[in-house]
Structure formats: structure tokens, C-alpha cells
Amino acid sequence: MADGGGGTDVNSLTPQQLDSLRQTLEQEIAYLTNSLQQLKAAQEKYSLSAASLDSLTAENEGREVLVPLSGTLYAPGNLAADKKVLVDVGTGYYLEKTIDGAKEFFERRATFLKEKIELLQPQVMNKVKQKRMVEELLQAAMAQMKANAAKANAAK
């Protein structure tokens, strides 16, 4: 049986090579899982941003709110029933958009991230499956080595 990357027959690998492959797969799984979590967090932020635009109505005009200045710093402010909002489009750039335009932007970004998440999840599952297979082969190789050592000791 060949592993997905290089076409090497994993059944012919030594226990040390199997352990190295297992460690590599663990690192890849950790990286992919972290990336998946970051994508999900970003998708959630875009979805929440789109939903928060619903509160910008004439009924809420003048209502006191806390305005985020940074990740941990907020300042008091009042809602204005303005027709335009500033949208952070990344790397310190902001665009002025209509509320509907901003909502469309956030929904488009959330959909894009959802598609990327759906592409990444099978890759993570495949790596987990490969790791499980390598661990089983490693356990079998270790058991074989113990059995061979026991036979060698019994023959002495």
C-alpha cells in the first residue's frame, strides 16, 4: 500500500521510518487543524458582521453602544442611522459601503470561507486516516520485533 505523497510502500518501511512518518503526519494534522479553526473563526466574524448590520435601523438611532477601537479597547458611542458604513477589507484598508453593499460583502466572504473549509476538511480526515494506518503498522512492526527477540532468546 502506498502513502498519498511519494508513492512509497509503507509496508516496507522500518519502525524508525514509520515513527518519523507518524510524526510528520501529526505535524501536518496540527497545521491543517489550526488552519481550519482560523478559517472557521474568520467565517464566523463575517457572518456576525453581516448580522450586526441589521441593528442599523432608524429605530436604533441615537442608542448608546460600545465601539471597538481594538481587540480589547472600546469607547462609548451612539448609533447613527446612516446609509453608509466603513468596512475593514484587510491589511488596514477600509471601504465606505452602503449597508446592503457591506452585508453582501460579508456574506460573500463567509461563503468563500465556507467553500475553503469544505475543501480542507477532507484533507484533514485523510491525514488522520493515514496516521492511524501508520500507527497500526508501527504497532505490528514493534510486536513482530518483540516476537523475534523472544524467539532469539528462547533459542539460546
Side-chain angles (χ1 to χ4, degrees), residues 11-31:
N11 291 315
S12 65
L13 296 178
T14 65
Q16 293 81 8
Q17 291 170 323
L18 285 171
D19 189 50
S20 176
L21 179 58
R22 181 189 56 80
Q23 290 174 0
T24 300
L25 287 169
E26 280 179 355
Q27 291 171 351
E28 290 175 5
I29 290 167
Y31 175 78

Side-chain angles (χ1 to χ4, degrees), residues 49-50 53 85-87 97-108:
S49 294
L53 291 172
V85 292
L86 284 178
V87 177
K97 291 188 165 282
T98 64
I99 291 174
D100 288 338
K103 213 181 257 191
E104 182 183 306
F105 171 81
F106 292 135
E107 289 169 355
R108 195 171 55 245

Side-chain angles (χ1 to χ4, degrees), residues 25-40:
L25 287 169
E26 280 179 355
Q27 291 171 351
E28 290 175 5
I29 290 167
Y31 175 78
L32 290 171
T33 302
N34 185 38
S35 297
L36 197 57
Q37 289 171 344
Q38 289 177 357
L39 287 173
K40 286 180 180 181

Side-chain angles (χ1 to χ4, degrees), residues 39-56:
L39 287 173
K40 286 180 180 181
Q43 179 194 22
E44 182 67 21
K45 280 185 178 183
Y46 284 124
S47 296
L48 288 173
S49 294
S52 69
L53 291 172
D54 292 333
S55 66
L56 296 178

Side-chain angles (χ1 to χ4, degrees), residues 7 43 47 66 68 70 82 84-85 96 109 114 138 142:
Q43 179 194 22
S47 296
L66 290 176
S70 71
D82 199 3
K84 298 200 180 224
V85 292
E96 187 174 279
R109 285 288 178 104
K114 181 182 179 207
L138 184 58
M142 297 303 284

